[in-house]
Amino acid sequence: QPWTSPGEPQALFSRPRWPVECEVIQETIEHIEWVPPEPEPFCPPMGPEPALYPLDEEQGTVVYHSSPALQGSCFIRARVGGAPGPLSSPAAPLEGPQDTTLLFESRFESGNLQKAIKVGPYEYVLLLRPDLYTAKHTQWFYFRVQNTRQEPLYRFTIANMAKPKSLYGQGLQPLLYSQRDAQSRGIGWRRVGTDICYCRGSTGEPPTFQLSWTVRFPHDGDTCFFAACYPYTYSDLQRYLRALMADPARSRYCAVRALCRSLAGNTVYLLTVTSPGGAAGKRVVVASARAHPGESGGSWAMRGFLDFLLSAHADARLLRRLFVFKVVPMLNPDGVVVGNSRCSLAGRDPNRAYGMALPGSFPGVWHLRAMVQRVLAEREVVLYCDFHGHSRKNNVFMYGCDAGGDSTGTRLRQRVFPLMLSKNAPDKFSFSSCKFQVQKSKERTGRVSMWRLGVSHSYTLEVAFSGSTLGGRSSHFSVEDLKSLGRLLCDTLLDFCDPAPAKLQQCLVEAEALLQRQMGREPGSGGSWSDVSPSELESSTSGSDSSVSDG
């Protein structure tokens, strides 16, 4: 049954807690939501690669350096506001009004920039901070620049990206936010950058990769931000949940409570959504997001899912009558707070810790799995969906679970939900990019773990950092695109659970025809493929999901 934490609701919403090694500026960073009037097209790939920058500070002047003095190699304790005492000054001071050096800052929630080196009048080499208590996972970036000039063309090069392939090589652009444009013109995050290049940098082990772009700022003397994807912080989630609890209509069918506390003591929230009047006989849908903190697009899709589910729309009312929804919108709040790409404060990937995790090491993951186990003892969980982001493949797609030993019908049904979603979102969702193979390296992911517990339809939803190449599009996702995925997921759930069998039967026939085609057979020619392994089924498409999965 839905229930709220005892005591004052404010106890649920204490300010973010940081490791004591982390300095945090006092300013509140908030951004307006904005949808560009036209879709933002992908940037044409550039020609010859620019000069590579060695990670040698003698090549330039360090103008920003913020690196937490980590006490040992593991997390010890946290407090609200991070490190006690006065803040240091990581940015080099300006020498006067004529000094055009940019002032960098990233010591705010979800911020990530470790060092900035000025190598030319308007040219900077940047280094990202690895995930805390690791030496790896440099991908997410989010930082502020001040003292901008409108006229010159600036070049930025992030010199220590970790992944060998990236959508930046296929037209993805970084995001820019101008505070002045937000205040005076109502314009929020927008895609910027020309001459974008993603290429190999250092030749050492492990190798690093460089992301380079040029940009002109919209104003002199502006405060601007760059980010890898639309930021969605822990405080953003808290503001959303506070408004939800204060709304007399929505709070009638949504209970917010603490699933558990994170390592740093931040609340991992659990929402229970269903129509008032009890949950007897209702099946359950479980959804989660932000196991990986750098995949903020997953939070925007989750926002859209909750917005629709809690709306007055007739379909939303029907969903609340039919199901109990258990939703964990931010599994890894600590990673989100400190600006990690992939890990929690345990220094490891929480989406590789299901089924083995001790509650003290990965509390969000442990308590989510335990909650699903308890629910399964009483009722059917019809669907589990874990929202993620993907840095190397365009569009939206899913990973499902087909171990190969099941009947033909069961294996086909694994593919029905993603196939229905592709019909509801033809300009965003790519069924041909979906993978269903269960690999050994993915046994401890949320998707496979829930499936092993007995959730027959268990998926990872992968949302590209970039955008869509489908339905005549070749453009970036806006925040509105990402939020629409949540609504489309709700539409698909109703189709999937429709008591009239027509849609399900049509999709089963279509899924079988697609698989026959993949096996090189004529659709309708007969012949069994139920003994064909999932790896064989997928070898004729774009390879196994180990080579591309971020989930």
Side-chain angles (χ1 to χ4, degrees):
Q1 292 294 317
W3 61 283
T4 49
S5 289
E8 292 296 308
Q10 288 87 331
L12 268 178
F13 297 112
S14 57
R15 286 168 52 210
R17 296 173 60 85
W18 296 68
V20 292
E21 304 96 323
C22 294
E23 289 190 338
V24 186
I25 61 173
Q26 293 300 305
E27 297 160 70
T28 300
I29 308 291
E30 281 189 66
H31 305 294
I32 63 168
E33 278 184 49
W34 177 70
V35 178
E38 298 292 331
E40 296 174 296
F42 293 145
C43 182
M46 72 165 293
E49 294 176 357
L52 298 180
Y53 292 100
L55 302 186
D56 181 356
E57 289 167 24
E58 292 175 12
Q59 305 287 322
T61 305
V62 176
V63 294
Y64 178 81
H65 189 193
S66 173
S67 192
L70 300 178
Q71 301 168 355
S73 59
C74 62
F75 169 72
I76 298 171
R77 66 188 184 91
R79 67 188 290 273
V80 171
L87 294 176
S88 65
S89 300
L94 298 178
E95 294 178 0
Q98 302 309 309
D99 189 342
T100 60
T101 301
L102 290 175
L103 295 171
F104 290 84
E105 181 60 270
S106 67
R107 295 172 299 167
F108 48 81
E109 210 178 326
S110 294
N112 189 316
L113 178 69
Q114 182 166 292
K115 188 180 287 189
I117 305 164
K118 187 176 182 179
V119 295
Y122 303 103
E123 200 157 349
Y124 296 86
V125 174
L126 312 176
L127 295 177
L128 304 182
R129 193 211 69 228
D131 284 4
L132 284 189
Y133 315 110
T134 81
K136 301 188 293 186
H137 309 299
T138 43
Q139 174 173 286
W140 168 256
F141 59 89
Y142 176 32
F143 57 89
R144 184 179 79 186
V145 291
Q146 292 175 303
N147 198 38
T148 62
R149 297 293 188 275
Q150 184 179 10
E151 187 59 34
L153 185 68
Y154 290 80
R155 176 172 283 281
F156 297 95
T157 301
I158 298 176
N160 64 333
M161 300 290 272
K163 292 192 175 183
K165 287 185 181 175
S166 170
L167 288 164
Y168 289 109
Q170 299 176 43
L172 170 61
Q173 292 174 287
L175 283 159
L176 171 79
Y177 185 95
S178 157
Q179 208 135 286
R180 189 175 293 183
D181 278 347
Q183 289 163 355
S184 65
R185 301 170 61 203
I187 293 174
W189 289 102
R190 64 187 119 169
R191 300 288 173 176
V192 299
T194 50
D195 296 333
I196 295 171
C197 177
Y198 193 92
C199 52
R200 186 165 178 140
S202 75
T203 53
E205 285 299 326
T208 58
F209 300 85
Q210 297 193 353
L211 166 63
S212 178
W213 73 94
T214 57
V215 66
R216 280 192 168 86
F217 290 108
H219 305 284
D220 286 342
D222 199 359
T223 292
C224 291
F225 295 82
F226 286 105
C229 189
Y230 306 101
Y232 194 96
T233 65
Y234 184 60
S235 291
D236 289 331
L237 174 65
Q238 289 186 316
R239 278 187 285 272
Y240 182 78
L241 296 181
R242 267 199 205 96
L244 182 58
M245 292 178 76
D247 182 330
R250 293 184 299 168
S251 58
R252 283 181 61 241
Y253 36 80
C254 179
V256 180
R257 71 173 178 91
L259 175 70
C260 61
R261 301 277 175 186
S262 68
L263 285 183
N266 291 308
T267 301
V268 180
Y269 296 101
L270 170 66
L271 281 61
T272 302
V273 180
T274 196
S275 55
K282 291 183 179 179
R283 295 186 290 175
V284 177
V285 175
V286 181
S288 58
R290 287 306 272 285
H292 294 150
E295 298 169 8
S296 59
S299 276
W300 287 105
M302 174 61 81
R303 212 347 243 285
F305 179 72
L306 290 170
D307 281 349
F308 184 78
L309 200 53
L310 296 168
S311 73
H313 193 284
D315 284 351
R317 291 202 301 270
L318 177 58
L319 284 165
R320 296 193 296 268
R321 278 206 308 275
L322 291 174
F323 301 105
V324 177
F325 291 85
K326 295 283 189 181
V327 181
V328 182
M330 195 170 282
L331 266 171
N332 183 3
D334 296 349
V336 173
V337 166
V338 301
N340 277 2
S341 287
R342 199 163 180 89
C343 296
S344 70
L345 295 184
R348 290 170 59 195
D349 181 346
N351 202 36
R352 298 294 183 274
Y354 282 84
M356 60 168 258
L358 298 170
S361 300
F362 297 95
V365 157
W366 192 91
H367 284 277
L368 173 61
R369 187 176 184 274
M371 184 266 291
V372 172
Q373 272 184 303
R374 287 195 303 274
V375 169
L376 280 166
E378 298 176 3
R379 60 186 76 218
E380 181 190 353
V381 176
V382 70
L383 182 83
Y384 170 68
C385 187
D386 192 19
F387 294 54
H388 282 258
H390 208 287
S391 69
R392 287 173 283 181
K393 285 173 74 175
N394 282 310
N395 307 313
V396 183
F397 49 95
M398 280 180 149
Y399 294 131
C401 298
D402 174 2
D406 294 322
S407 68
T408 300
T410 300
R411 297 180 71 183
L412 281 176
R413 274 191 292 275
Q414 281 294 330
R415 290 159 169 82
V416 166
F417 190 89
L419 185 57
M420 285 180 164
L421 186 50
S422 73
K423 292 176 181 299
N424 287 332
D427 63 337
K428 299 180 186 73
F429 191 93
S430 168
F431 182 72
S432 64
S433 295
C434 296
K435 300 291 176 188
F436 300 90
Q437 186 179 353
V438 177
Q439 294 180 304
K440 196 165 185 183
S441 64
K442 303 299 167 72
E443 280 290 339
R444 299 204 183 279
T445 60
R447 151 182 70 107
V448 178
S449 176
M450 299 303 178
W451 180 67
R452 296 282 186 210
L453 284 179
V455 181
S456 53
H457 297 96
S458 183
Y459 301 99
T460 304
L461 180 76
E462 295 279 0
V463 183
F465 284 19
S466 53
S468 170
T469 59
L470 304 171
R473 285 186 62 160
S474 185
S475 58
H476 293 87
F477 287 139
S478 67
V479 164
E480 200 51 51
D481 283 324
L482 298 175
K483 290 199 291 188
S484 75
L485 292 169
R487 174 180 57 78
L488 293 162
L489 203 73
C490 290
D491 290 346
T492 305
L493 183 60
L494 282 176
D495 290 340
F496 186 65
C497 297
D498 191 334
K503 288 178 184 173
L504 178 67
Q505 290 302 327
Q506 179 193 336
C507 285
L508 285 170
V509 169
E510 198 170 319
E512 178 148 37
L514 287 166
L515 287 171
Q516 295 280 13
R517 206 169 290 127
Q518 273 175 237
M519 296 301 296
R521 302 172 183 162
E522 284 297 313
S525 63
S528 171
W529 54 265
S530 58
D531 57 345
V532 178
S533 73
S535 58
E536 287 178 84
L537 282 176
E538 290 174 6
S539 62
S540 57
T541 56
S542 55
S544 71
D545 91 78
S546 64
S547 62
V548 291
S549 171
D550 288 20

